[in-house]
Amino acid sequence: LLAAALSYDALKGPPHLALRHRMIGCFFKSLTVRHEEVVAVARDALAAVISQSKLQKELLQSSLRPILLNLADYRKLSVPLLQGLSRLLSLLSNFFNLTLGEKLLEHLRRWTDPEALAKAKTFRPGDDVKIPCAILSLFHLLPPAPDKFLTELVSVSLSLEAVLPGSTALGRHWSPHREALVPYLNRHAKETVSHLLDRITLPADAATKERREDVAKAFRYLLSLVRYKHAAEVRDELARQWQPLLQRTLEAARSTTERQVAAQLRYQGVALVHGLCKLKPDWLPSCPDVLQALVQIWSSQERLAAEEQAAMPLEQVREFKVIAKCFVSCLRHQAKALGDEIGDGHIELLFLMLSIFSHHTLVAYDFLKLFYLEEVATGYSVAQRVACLRYFLRFFQSSRTAREDRVQALQLIAL
């Protein structure tokens, strides 16, 4: 009723100004209640008022004062209060300054100490996750200031994740805190990608265990964003920043003599490339330098013996499998996009992967065999298969081709 009355022309005149202000104040208070129907009506009414005329500064200050007073003390925070603030920011973002962001960050840091929160005895079960997530979800509504908040937000979100049950020293693959921060990271995708790429860089000499763990956390953070369907802006930005990605991972791995550091950097680069390939299949074919870096790893790295693989982390054991999946993604896209015009590079990549079947490995490559037998053998056009057979004749006759690779080519491609 109040929302309908507010649109009445007679209430817009000076005689009813005080009543109108009281009605608007009532809408502000209603933004923080728990009833969704009331909240929706109040928000729509305020949006209509703001679109018609600029609210007086005194009215705004008096209406916002109760909410801002509750925000001053972390013990008074609640999910409805923070959701109400979110609705206010979406309507009046220009009214708030960066001081609000600084205060929210201060509150977030308190939630990284569960013991201190438990002593407060003011929160409900589950608030230890819900309230920090509600705070993190506010930052994309504040005036843009990535230089001021981005580094702190990434660090504090990692600290919040560290106190969740099941967290390890290497971090988590995903968390509700990360999900809540995605809109902010998407809004500042360029700065986000640059910051995380800097954090996954290891020194060329032997890094300390703590440093490697910090790098692993930042890497998992970036990889999870690349894989998350709602982080498209971050994913697209990483695809654009393929040169820094290459320099900080695959190229950095070649420049270090420390085997453990090189393995970690190489795997990080391969995993990030694979994450991009899964959701952006046209990206790798458009980046020949990245594809060539993967080919060099595949060709230069000796296949690890079973006993060596058993002593390695599972992620690094799967490195060649992940590279093979990147190759398959690239070949699928090229076969569809180029049609009968596939070049020698496409066919060379097909034959390059055959060597994996000639070595003992703990990792199953059934997906790759199915790709040859089903997609290449029956899915390629006649012209594409003819090009493969022509290359096979040269491949078979070459003295540099191993006998095992000839057998695999005959079984999987030629026949």
Side-chain angles (χ1 to χ4, degrees), residues 62-338:
S62 62
S63 300
L64 294 175
R65 189 174 294 113
I67 296 177
L68 296 178
L69 286 175
N70 285 329
L71 284 174
D73 186 351
Y74 81 98
R75 291 167 295 187
K76 295 181 180 180
L77 295 180
S78 66
V79 173
L81 174 68
L82 294 168
Q83 289 176 338
L85 180 58
S86 174
R87 298 176 190 112
L88 281 174
L89 285 170
S90 65
L91 292 170
L92 302 164
S93 60
N94 293 332
F95 182 79
F96 295 90
N97 56 33
L98 298 181
T99 305
L100 175 60
E102 294 171 355
K103 191 63 180 179
L104 293 173
L105 260 177
E106 179 185 328
H107 291 333
L108 277 174
R109 294 189 187 98
R110 292 184 179 275
W111 292 90
T112 61
D113 186 357
E115 294 183 1
L117 285 175
K119 293 178 182 178
K121 297 180 180 181
T122 58
F123 299 106
R124 300 180 179 183
D127 281 351
D128 56 330
V129 175
K130 293 178 181 178
I131 290 180
C133 288
I135 296 175
L136 288 168
S137 66
L138 295 173
F139 279 88
H140 75 285
L141 300 171
L142 293 172
D147 293 340
K148 190 172 185 64
F149 295 129
L150 177 62
T151 301
E152 285 291 329
L153 283 173
V154 171
S155 296
V156 78
S157 65
L158 285 170
S159 298
L160 289 167
E161 292 174 4
V163 300
L164 290 176
S167 296
T168 68
L170 298 180
R172 300 176 67 92
H173 291 289
W174 193 246
S175 75
H177 304 99
R178 211 172 299 181
E179 184 175 4
L181 194 57
V182 163
Y184 177 85
L185 301 177
N186 274 335
R187 186 181 184 187
H188 306 292
K190 183 177 180 180
E191 294 83 1
T192 297
V193 170
S194 297
H195 171 68
L196 291 174
L197 284 178
D198 287 341
R199 288 188 65 159
I200 67 173
T201 303
L202 278 166
D205 56 349
T208 63
K209 179 182 177 182
E210 291 76 13
R211 174 61 177 150
R212 288 198 300 270
E213 289 178 352
D214 289 342
V215 168
K217 290 178 184 177
F219 158 67
R220 285 189 174 184
Y221 202 101
L222 179 57
L223 181 62
S224 69
L225 294 174
V226 171
R227 292 173 171 173
Y228 187 51
K229 62 180 180 179
H230 297 306
E233 289 85 349
V234 173
R235 185 165 50 252
D236 292 343
E237 182 59 35
L238 181 62
R240 284 190 288 270
Q241 293 195 37
W242 63 267
Q243 289 177 312
L245 168 62
L246 203 59
Q247 292 167 358
R248 286 166 172 77
T249 56
L250 303 183
E251 291 181 358
R254 291 199 298 268
S255 64
T256 180
T257 57
E258 293 292 333
R259 184 175 177 180
Q260 191 173 11
V261 171
Q264 183 173 346
L265 288 170
R266 189 173 60 245
Y267 176 75
Q268 289 175 178
V270 169
L272 289 169
V273 169
H274 179 240
L276 289 172
C277 287
K278 289 187 70 174
L279 293 174
K280 295 178 68 67
D282 61 331
W283 172 74
L284 186 57
S286 68
C287 293
D289 289 348
V290 178
L291 179 59
Q292 184 58 35
L294 295 181
V295 169
Q296 289 177 359
I297 295 173
W298 185 275
S299 303
S300 64
Q301 286 293 319
E302 184 180 354
R303 302 292 185 264
L304 298 171
E307 60 271 14
E308 290 178 312
Q309 289 187 350
M312 291 182 65
L314 179 60
E315 290 179 340
Q316 293 176 15
V317 172
R318 294 181 61 250
E319 182 176 307
F320 287 105
K321 183 176 183 178
V322 176
I323 294 177
K325 289 186 174 182
C326 293
F327 289 160
V328 169
S329 173
C330 180
L331 291 169
R332 280 176 178 152
H333 179 79
Q334 287 180 335
K336 293 178 181 178
L338 300 178

